Amino acid sequence: MTDARIPIDIPGHPTALLVGHGLLDRASGALGRASVEVAGRRVLLACDDAVHATHGARLAAHLADAGAEVAMVGLAASEPDKAMPAVERIWAAALAHGLDRRGLIVAVGGGIVGDLAGFAAATYLRGVDLVQVPTTLLAMVDASIGGKTGVNLTLPGGGLGKNLAGAFWQPKLTIADSRTLATLPLRELRAGLAECVKHAVLDGEEALAALERDAAALAAADPDALLRLIPRSAAVKARIVAVDPLERGIRATLNLGHTFGHAIETLPEFQLLHGEAVAIGLVAAATSAEAFPGFVREPLVDRVRRLLEALQLPTGLPTRSATPRGTLAGEIRRRMGFDKKNEGGGLRLVLPRAVGDVEVVAGVPESAVEAGIRAIFVA
Ligand SMILES: NC(=O)c1ccc[n+]([C@@H]2O[C@H](COP(=O)([O-])OP(=O)(O)OC[C@H]3O[C@@H](n4cnc5c(N)ncnc54)[C@H](O)[C@@H]3O)[C@@H](O)[C@H]2O)c1
């Protein structure tokens, strides 16, 4: 199968995503074709500790064979570690390796390492070239596309403020080698599938039907099914960020399922992965849309729920929990009030009218919001 190339036409910074099996072994050629020279160049691989000895070492050896002077820095991929000390470690490694303005930073890992290394590249010597090598499904179809980079900050009084400092910095190229997914834990892979469901709902009937056909194979991490899915799903985000690179309008539709999702992701008693919370959020958003009189053209709740179940993703929170349901529901509603999309004190939700027709909506009736929250508890 030939590699897929998805153009990402950011105004002023056109870039692309390559998707293929075994691409890391062909990386230098792909970089050369994208005018990213490696021969004679100092290259720093900022590498997720979980893939350092495997995919990172393989890429480092390949780039060294192609004539690059390669150094590596290992990074822990946890949200508390996605903070300034990790960026400083990358800067220090870059200095130690003698990276000058012609230097290149390559991010090898999931979204955490991509955001950290991207921010380090945006700021080191006021900006050096960046290449993204995503190794999780979520990073391949979502986090590595669009140029958002950043770190978490500690909130006044404690707690993690996610992605509160950062910069837009476009990679010269993004290389997604589906072979790296063979080592990704199945739970992480399935969490990435939730973002693919979101992209398919944004994209349209054909994309959603394709995902439904391949659902069982995808839930089992079948390599061929993944290679069919990744370019198609990534292209949805690529198209949207190219139209709205700075999130002034349509890019906000990529938050479908995320207002509910963010509110439940950090509830300590459930320990959900981001993608799992998004899966539950997608059902909640579709439910809110249906409970909003006159809004939907095509009911989606049952279809989305069936697909998520086929992908082995959660569609609701476990009904038995130490905290009473009413208390949890109140806490979820409170947290939704802090969503970044809100304006002038009013809640704004991303809701589907139909497959391929999704809108950011202000003034959603409280009864519809509550219906979405109730759906979260029907596991
Ligand atoms: N910049 C953006 O536009 C954007 C968009 C979405 C999410 N994000 C960010 O991305 C992060 C989540 O990214 P993620 O889901 O990729 O998670 P992650 O980076 O936390 O990776 C998930 C886990 O998988 C491990 N891992 C990664 N690749 C592996 C592989 N091939 N084999 C074995 N283990 C592997 C990691 O070490 C980690 O434990 C969040 O911090 C989120 O804020 C950014």
Side-chain angles (χ1 to χ4, degrees):
M1 201 185 266
T2 52
D3 302 333
R5 183 180 183 283
I6 293 115
I8 309 171
D9 293 320
I10 308 280
H13 300 277
T15 179
L17 164 73
L18 294 182
V19 185
H21 198 71
L23 249 179
L24 289 190
D25 297 337
R26 307 188 285 282
S28 59
L31 288 165
R33 282 187 292 281
S35 306
V36 183
E37 290 311 323
V38 291
R41 195 171 188 186
R42 285 178 204 258
V43 178
L44 177 68
L45 261 58
C47 201
D48 193 320
D49 282 339
V51 300
H52 196 123
T54 51
H55 316 305
R58 183 179 197 124
L59 180 61
H62 169 77
L63 294 178
D65 283 349
E69 289 181 48
V70 184
M72 285 172 91
V73 54
L75 298 161
S78 81
E79 288 296 335
D81 286 315
K82 185 178 160 183
M84 282 314 292
V87 175
E88 287 173 19
R89 287 194 54 222
I90 302 172
W91 287 337
L95 276 176
H97 189 46
L99 233 71
D100 61 13
R101 288 212 163 115
R102 278 199 65 250
L104 171 66
I105 292 182
V106 181
V108 187
I112 290 186
V113 164
D115 280 4
L116 282 171
F119 188 49
T123 44
Y124 180 72
L125 303 182
R126 299 204 178 85
V128 294
D129 283 355
L130 169 70
V131 166
Q132 292 274 7
V133 178
T135 63
T136 64
L137 179 61
L138 182 133
M140 290 180 185
V141 301
D142 185 354
S144 69
I145 303 166
K148 279 190 190 173
T149 72
V151 296
N152 302 325
L153 298 183
T154 305
L155 295 172
L160 210 61
K162 271 200 71 170
N163 304 325
L164 290 186
F168 282 98
W169 196 247
Q170 298 297 337
K172 294 289 169 197
L173 187 69
T174 301
I175 299 174
D177 181 347
S178 60
R179 195 166 56 185
T180 64
L181 298 176
T183 56
L184 186 69
L186 205 48
R187 186 176 171 200
E188 292 285 353
L189 184 111
R190 288 172 181 162
L193 289 171
E195 301 288 358
C196 299
V197 173
K198 177 195 80 180
H199 285 164
V201 172
L202 287 164
D203 197 14
E205 180 55 40
E206 210 184 302
L208 195 59
L211 200 45
E212 287 168 335
R213 272 196 305 278
D214 272 345
L218 288 166
D222 175 77
D224 292 336
L226 285 166
L227 263 182
R228 281 191 291 277
L229 174 68
I230 296 165
R232 171 170 229 155
S233 191
V236 176
K237 178 150 184 193
R239 268 199 306 278
I240 292 176
V241 298
V243 177
D244 181 17
L246 301 178
E247 197 164 326
R248 302 265 155 78
I250 188 182
R251 190 165 176 171
T253 59
L254 288 167
N255 287 311
L256 176 64
H258 283 59
T259 309
F260 291 100
H262 282 147
I264 54 176
E265 182 179 349
T266 46
L267 291 172
E269 56 205 291
F270 299 107
Q271 301 281 316
L272 295 170
L273 296 178
H274 172 73
E276 294 168 339
V278 168
I280 297 169
L282 287 170
V283 175
T287 306
S288 270
E290 282 187 34
F292 185 171
F295 185 78
V296 296
R297 286 194 287 111
E298 180 190 2
L300 275 179
V301 178
D302 292 341
R303 190 172 178 191
V304 168
R305 194 193 295 275
R306 267 200 309 277
L307 174 56
L308 293 168
E309 281 167 2
L311 294 169
Q312 310 273 335
L313 280 159
T315 57
L317 291 176
T319 38
R320 266 179 303 159
S321 112
T323 316
R325 187 188 287 201
T327 311
L328 279 174
E331 177 58 16
I332 291 168
R333 180 65 187 84
R334 191 185 72 80
R335 289 174 180 220
M336 289 172 72
F338 294 115
D339 191 81
K340 285 204 272 280
K341 284 182 302 306
N342 298 340
E343 273 177 11
L347 195 62
R348 294 195 331 146
L349 285 180
V350 185
L351 300 180
R353 279 188 194 278
V355 179
D357 183 0
V358 173
E359 255 179 56
V360 184
V361 195
V364 181
E366 196 55 35
S367 57
V369 179
E370 280 166 15
I373 293 176
R374 272 198 306 280
I376 289 172
F377 296 99
V378 189

